Amino acid sequence: AADIEAVIVCSPTDRHAEQTERALRAGKHVLCEIPLATSLAETDRLIDLAERSGLRLMVCHTQRYGAALIEARRMIASGEVRPRAMVSRYLLDKRENVSWTGRRRSWTDNLLWHHGCHAVDTALWLLAAEATDVTALAAPPDPRLGVPMDLSVLLRTTGDQVVTVVMSYRAMPPMQDYLIIADETTLIYANDELRDHRRVLVAAADHGSYDTAALDRQDADFFASILTGSEPVSSARGIRPAMAALQAAQDELDRQATESGAE
């Protein structure tokens, strides 16, 4: 409809690229749930289409809008903290096919391209870097859900840092954190709180529950980008380094699977 200016895509992961492309070709700005696509080729096609059409294409990398991680990025950019390495744990209980809101679903998250996308993008965004070398290892697919339930990704960045991402869909209780290991200190992000080895630097919003203000900042950024033509913090172009790293990890996993099948 002509009176619709923007579309939000929040469908199952495998539909994101197709539905985003349809919306862009219809002349609509798009805010897409993470991940934008499940390949770098699809990502690049959508970036090119949006830029040629003069449309805003933004992805819900909501962690870029959290107060604690914004402060961590500021500390790194200012030189107060000079990271040597990062360790990210993304450990969830997804043995049952249920969303984070408790709703039972007919489709399954992709550990690498969904939660791995959060972890890898946040690491590269915090470090203002891209991945130069990528290694990945995954457990065999779960026979019931059909996806690997345990997966690790190791990155070397353009800043010569080493980033280790450890993920699981079997963890009880769930936990998600980032450790930024630097010359000066270790920054620890967990439960929407940022601390160093001595004290809390940014307290958690809502007593440790999900930072809903980050969602508000994300949505406001999308609307502002439409009104002003500015590039949003989590533009499709801006998150491309993470998608390139994930594609390299996927290629490595596919290579391992092929070699294992040939034995």
Side-chain angles (χ1 to χ4, degrees):
D3 57 342
I4 296 176
E5 296 183 36
V7 171
I8 298 174
V9 174
C10 50
S11 54
T13 295
D14 291 342
R15 303 293 303 279
H16 289 183
E18 168 213 340
Q19 293 177 347
T20 296
E21 182 172 357
R22 286 169 55 193
L24 290 171
R25 291 194 183 281
K28 314 302 180 186
H29 305 286
V30 178
L31 174 61
C32 183
E33 179 54 89
I34 193 171
L36 176 59
T38 54
S39 74
L40 181 59
E42 289 179 315
T43 299
D44 284 341
R45 186 175 72 251
L46 293 171
I47 291 172
D48 180 65
L49 176 58
E51 292 179 350
R52 284 190 290 106
S53 304
L55 296 166
R56 302 281 78 73
L57 176 55
M58 178 174 155
V59 193
C60 294
H61 287 255
T62 315
Q63 291 184 352
R64 290 187 176 210
Y65 295 90
L69 289 174
I70 289 172
E71 173 61 11
R73 189 171 193 264
R74 184 202 65 76
M75 294 175 72
I76 295 169
S78 70
E80 294 174 46
V81 173
R82 294 170 291 176
R84 297 291 191 179
M86 271 190 69
V87 178
S88 169
R89 297 188 299 176
Y90 230 112
L91 310 176
L92 305 170
D93 180 8
K94 286 189 172 286
R95 301 176 193 219
E96 297 292 330
N97 202 2
V98 177
S99 74
W100 69 278
T101 63
R103 181 169 58 87
R104 191 163 293 278
R105 300 180 304 192
S106 60
W107 57 279
T108 305
D109 276 327
N110 182 308
L111 183 54
L112 178 64
W113 287 96
H114 188 144
H115 290 100
C117 196
H118 277 302
V120 170
D121 177 73
T122 299
L124 295 179
W125 174 72
L126 285 170
L127 299 173
E130 297 186 16
T132 57
D133 298 298
V134 181
T135 301
L137 287 171
D142 179 77
R144 194 159 50 90
L145 294 181
V147 298
M149 301 285 278
D150 303 280
L151 196 157
S152 294
V153 178
L154 183 65
L155 313 172
R156 183 180 296 278
T157 75
T158 47
D160 232 14
Q161 299 114 341
V162 173
V163 177
T164 305
V165 178
V166 180
M167 295 175 282
S168 179
Y169 278 168
R170 304 182 196 272
M172 295 185 290
M175 60 188 75
Q176 193 259 307
D177 54 24
Y178 296 102
L179 277 68
I180 304 166
I181 302 164
D183 289 329
E184 303 79 10
T185 187
T186 295
L187 297 179
I188 304 165
Y189 167 82
N191 300 317
D192 285 319
E193 176 185 88
L194 182 69
R195 62 180 301 119
D196 62 12
H197 62 288
R198 296 185 302 268
R199 60 192 174 91
V200 173
L201 302 174
V202 179
D206 301 324
H207 306 289
S209 66
Y210 192 79
D211 184 3
T212 55
L215 293 170
D216 294 338
R217 286 189 285 270
Q218 171 187 273
D219 295 346
D221 192 23
F222 179 54
F223 296 132
S225 73
I226 294 171
L227 294 171
T228 68
S230 60
E231 182 175 0
V233 169
S234 59
S235 69
R237 173 68 67 183
I239 60 95
R240 188 187 184 280
M243 302 301 277
L246 293 174
Q247 184 64 67
Q250 184 68 68
D251 291 345
E252 173 65 12
L253 294 174
D254 292 344
R255 182 191 65 78
Q256 293 169 15
T258 299
E259 290 182 354
S260 176
E263 292 177 355

